[in-house]
Amino acid sequence: MWKLCIEDDEGGQTVVPIIRDEITIGRQEGNTIRLTERNVSRRHAKLVRRDGMLYLEEIDARYGIRKNGSKIAQSEEFTEGDVFVIGDYRLTLQTERPKGAPAPSSARPPIPKAPPGTTRNRSDEGTEVLPALPAKLVIISSNFAGQEFPLARKEMLIGRGDECDIIIDHRSVSNKHAKITRDGTTYQIVDLNSKNGLRIGGERYTNVPLKRGDVVELGHVKFRFVEPGENYIFTPQSIDYSTPSDDAFSSDKKGPNIPVIAGVAIVAALLIGGLIYVLSGGGGEADPVEGDNLMAATSSIAEEPIKGDTAEPVEEAEDPKVDVGIEEAAGHYEAGDIEKAIGSLDGLSKYSKPSARQKREIGDLTSKAKLERPNQQHYIAAKADVEKEDWAGSYQSWREIPTHSIFKGIGEKEGIPSVIAAGLMALAQTALEEGELEDAENYASDAVSANAGVTGAADILAEVKRRQGAVAKSKAPKKSDTDSPRKVTKRKVISVDEPELTREEARQMANDAQSKIFQGDASGAISMCKKALSAKAYSCYRIMGVAYKQRGDVNAACKNFKKALRYEPTNKQAPIKTNMESLGCP
């Protein structure tokens, strides 16, 4: 019997036997399987059994479905070993087979060639897929800046050839340039006798382990290695515009006078190198040569750098239509139509001949547009929660949008922060009437954060402070008339003022704490979250609940999970309640 295994982002698992021919999956009630996270659509997908095979089909999925890291079109076969991702959930198959029975196999069509600049899906070849949070390479050089490649298998080949897993269509990259292997959590990169070699941090290597922050150079293309769980966000400021080093096409070993000799002998080098090239037959990808050998170094200048490469084209006159296209794409970007802007820019790159300046403008605008994709999702979620009058949820989504984002400006023009603030004020007033002083204070403070001009917040905060003072006074020990006078010794108190965290810093700290949970560092997560809570990173209550659960401190875990329920929107409370039930929280 097949079973569907569903894993959430906190590691909780649910196993569902597949006993129906059709199973619907979505956020709204009435689905066979209900997934409550906000990034799951109401009617997201369905699992269908046809002719003894299983298929996962998209119904109305706002954020789509990914199979083994690649977004599916409409319907994809679901076999054991596949990993489908819906929102924050990972779906895999389990099967009960007699002991010793082989795993089912089926004939597969040939794997098509992947387009340049993409990651090939090799799950059909039986390559292992990482269970969660794989490392990745992010291009930081100006040509392809911002493209990301998850390292989701044990071995991945990088190069220009169609047979590579990561295809980089750049003249300085060899057909099979390098490969990355994984052993547990260790990643190793190996040079495959490439023409222009492998560099890490500017140093030449043939085989070296990768660590967080390493800058990997394959020819003129530079990558940043992002380790599993690292919260790295690419920004346009991350782009490396530096020109390639003079030794990009030769070995690191050089005689002390090679630059001078090369300058004097350049003409002779071209003639001699050309003769050697003709006599040797030419062709193919030659290995880099030793700089100590002048004849080899000069002859390598005359060789073709890489098989199939052509000389750099002479820059043509600028096409004014390209500038018009860039301006139109910028208009789509400013209006918040991100995908239309990216599509227009891709079209300009593929179907026109932009100049070097126009290429830079296209690349910069494309990077900016891609960086706005998550902000657009937060904006859409905030608007959806406003329509549902989920004020806490809408505020959480709204505050995720950074102040520099175009969607912050668009939302402010639409009056979203004012509406959210008014809703939070209603919650604050209700909490005050019910005596929930902490909630009243937090709701009123959040209302001010959403819209500084909201009215009534100062009155509620003042009333909360007054009541809290009265409660503290009533709990203070009273001096009895019969008490004998005691000598009171003043204690010296040393206070250390720590710099206040900004909301953005607190959010980043909460994300780092979440990463420590995945790494099993519960104490580190708790420590970071206590600091982040000073700037109202309320997601830390949930993170601390999980951390205390890992440490076996049931009381502390339950306490934090209860607080998390106050601040998490309704559709994100199910995993918290599941954790509380497993702990037996009152």
Side-chain angles (χ1 to χ4, degrees):
M1 174 189 294
W2 288 106
K3 293 182 179 180
L4 181 65
C5 181
I6 306 170
E7 182 179 350
D8 60 30
D9 60 347
E10 295 180 356
Q13 288 190 348
T14 302
V15 179
V16 181
I18 302 175
I19 57 177
R20 303 182 183 182
D21 288 336
E22 181 174 307
I23 294 175
T24 58
I25 304 171
R27 197 173 75 240
Q28 74 178 13
E29 295 182 2
N31 286 293
T32 313
I33 297 174
R34 189 178 177 212
L35 306 178
T36 56
E37 288 293 325
R38 185 186 299 144
N39 51 13
V40 177
S41 298
R42 291 178 176 84
R43 299 179 67 252
H44 203 112
K46 61 181 178 181
L47 186 63
V48 181
R49 192 202 313 267
R50 288 197 300 266
D51 301 325
M53 306 295 289
L54 291 176
Y55 298 87
L56 192 67
E57 299 180 355
E58 182 178 311
I59 301 178
D60 186 16
R62 177 189 298 173
Y63 301 118
I65 303 171
R66 292 188 175 275
K67 175 184 178 182
N68 302 329
S70 301
K71 191 172 182 179
I72 72 170
Q74 185 62 38
S75 176
E76 286 285 340
E77 183 183 347
F78 198 166
T79 62
E80 191 173 11
D82 288 333
V83 178
F84 281 84
V85 175
I86 294 178
D88 289 340
Y89 301 89
R90 300 174 65 256
L91 280 62
T92 55
L93 282 180
Q94 296 178 354
T95 183
E96 294 180 352
R97 294 189 295 270
K99 291 184 178 180
S105 61
S106 58
R108 299 293 183 117
I111 300 174
K113 288 185 176 182
T118 60
T119 305
R120 181 187 296 281
N121 178 1
R122 297 182 67 186
S123 60
D124 290 340
E125 300 173 52
T127 311
E128 180 185 357
V129 178
L130 278 173
L133 294 175
K136 62 184 177 182
L137 291 178
V138 180
I139 297 183
I140 59 172
S141 54
S142 58
N143 296 341
F144 306 103
Q147 289 193 34
E148 298 185 357
F149 303 98
L151 304 176
R153 292 177 291 280
K154 277 194 169 181
E155 182 174 307
M156 297 189 73
L157 187 63
I158 309 174
R160 288 191 307 155
D162 289 329
E163 68 274 26
C164 294
D165 302 293
I166 298 176
I167 300 174
I168 307 297
D169 188 16
H170 191 276
R171 65 183 300 271
S172 66
V173 177
S174 299
N175 287 329
K176 292 182 180 179
H177 200 114
K179 69 176 179 180
I180 292 182
T181 60
R182 176 178 61 85
D183 182 10
T185 58
T186 301
Y187 292 79
Q188 191 98 357
I189 187 166
V190 181
D191 182 33
L192 300 178
N193 292 323
S194 62
K195 172 67 179 179
N196 299 317
L198 161 70
R199 283 177 169 77
I200 307 294
E203 296 291 330
R204 187 71 168 266
Y205 292 92
T206 57
N207 189 335
V208 64
L210 292 173
K211 63 180 185 298
R212 173 187 288 216
D214 274 346
V215 175
V216 180
E217 298 179 49
L218 304 182
H220 295 175
V221 182
K222 296 184 179 181
F223 305 79
R224 186 190 189 280
F225 175 71
V226 181
E227 69 177 14
E230 180 184 355
N231 187 37
Y232 172 77
I233 300 175
F234 174 83
T235 63
Q237 290 75 26
S238 306
I239 299 176
D240 188 337
Y241 290 101
S242 60
T243 55
S245 59
D246 293 335
D247 61 346
F249 290 89
S250 64
S251 171
D252 286 336
K253 297 181 180 180
K254 293 183 178 182
N257 296 320
I258 286 296
V260 177
I261 298 173
V264 175
I266 187 65
V267 176
L270 293 173
L271 294 174
I272 298 172
L275 179 59
I276 293 174
Y277 180 76
V278 172
L279 295 176
S280 63
E285 289 186 352
D287 291 334
V289 294
E290 297 297 330
D292 292 332
N293 186 327
L294 177 60
M295 182 65 73
T298 52
S299 66
S300 67
I301 299 174
E303 291 181 344
E304 286 187 304
I306 297 175
K307 184 178 180 180
D309 285 335
T310 57
E312 292 285 351
V314 178
E315 187 172 337
E316 300 177 353
E318 293 186 346
D319 185 351
K321 293 181 180 179
V322 175
D323 286 327
V324 173
I326 294 173
E327 187 175 349
E328 290 177 353
H332 296 317
Y333 169 80
E334 294 294 338
D337 197 342
I338 299 301
E339 298 309 319
K340 195 167 185 178
I342 293 173
S344 299
L345 294 167
D346 286 345
L348 289 173
S349 298
K350 293 177 181 177
Y351 305 114
S352 61
K353 295 182 178 180
S355 66
R357 175 190 65 81
Q358 290 168 335
K359 285 181 180 179
R360 285 195 298 271
E361 292 186 9
I362 291 171
D364 290 345
L365 187 53
T366 300
S367 296
K368 288 171 61 178
K370 288 181 177 180
L371 289 172
E372 288 289 354
R373 278 172 167 162
N375 300 329
Q376 184 180 38
Q377 293 178 5
H378 295 315
Y379 164 77
I380 292 171
K383 291 189 68 173
D385 286 337
V386 165
E387 292 177 2
K388 295 184 295 185
E389 297 186 356
D390 181 357
W391 308 118
S394 61
Y395 172 69
Q396 292 294 336
S397 296
W398 177 252
R399 70 191 292 267
E400 290 292 326
I401 306 173
T403 55
H404 63 265
S405 169
I406 59 170
F407 289 100
K408 206 71 165 183
I410 292 172
E412 288 171 351
K413 289 180 181 178
E414 295 174 345
I416 290 177
S418 299
V419 176
I420 293 174
L424 290 170
M425 284 300 299
L427 294 176
Q429 186 62 47
T430 301
L432 185 64
E433 292 170 358
E434 295 176 352
E436 296 288 342
L437 300 183
E438 185 179 356
D439 284 350
E441 182 182 20
N442 287 329
Y443 284 135
S445 298
D446 289 346
V448 174
S449 177
N451 179 19
V454 66
T455 58
D459 294 337
I460 289 180
L461 291 172
E463 178 62 16
V464 167
K465 187 175 181 179
R466 186 190 68 79
R467 293 191 190 183
Q468 288 174 338
V471 171
K473 188 175 181 180
S474 66
K475 292 181 178 180
K478 295 181 179 179
K479 183 178 180 180
S480 172
D481 294 336
T482 59
D483 287 345
S484 58
R486 296 179 180 178
K487 185 178 179 181
V488 178
T489 303
K490 291 185 178 180
R491 298 177 59 193
K492 292 183 178 180
V493 179
I494 302 174
S495 62
V496 180
D497 292 331
E498 295 186 1
E500 294 184 0
L501 292 175
T502 65
R503 287 289 180 91
E504 185 65 25
E505 289 171 338
R507 185 174 67 87
Q508 179 65 49
M509 193 171 287
N511 290 337
D512 292 343
Q514 180 75 59
S515 298
K516 287 188 175 295
I517 290 289
F518 289 125
Q519 297 164 8
D521 184 3
S523 297
I526 293 168
S527 176
M528 297 187 79
C529 266
K530 285 182 177 179
K531 293 179 182 178
L533 280 169
S534 66
K536 299 183 179 180
Y538 296 133
S539 61
C540 269
Y541 285 126
R542 172 181 54 81
I543 296 169
M544 289 173 68
V546 176
Y548 279 117
K549 180 181 177 181
Q550 285 186 354
R551 286 175 52 170
D553 190 338
V554 176
N555 290 334
C558 290
K559 181 180 178 181
N560 281 279
F561 281 136
K562 285 179 181 178
K563 289 184 178 181
L565 288 176
R566 297 179 185 176
Y567 302 106
E568 294 287 0
T570 305
N571 61 357
K572 294 190 72 173
Q573 293 183 2
I576 299 173
K577 292 178 179 177
T578 300
N579 273 295
M580 294 178 70
E581 290 174 3
S582 68
L583 292 171
C585 298

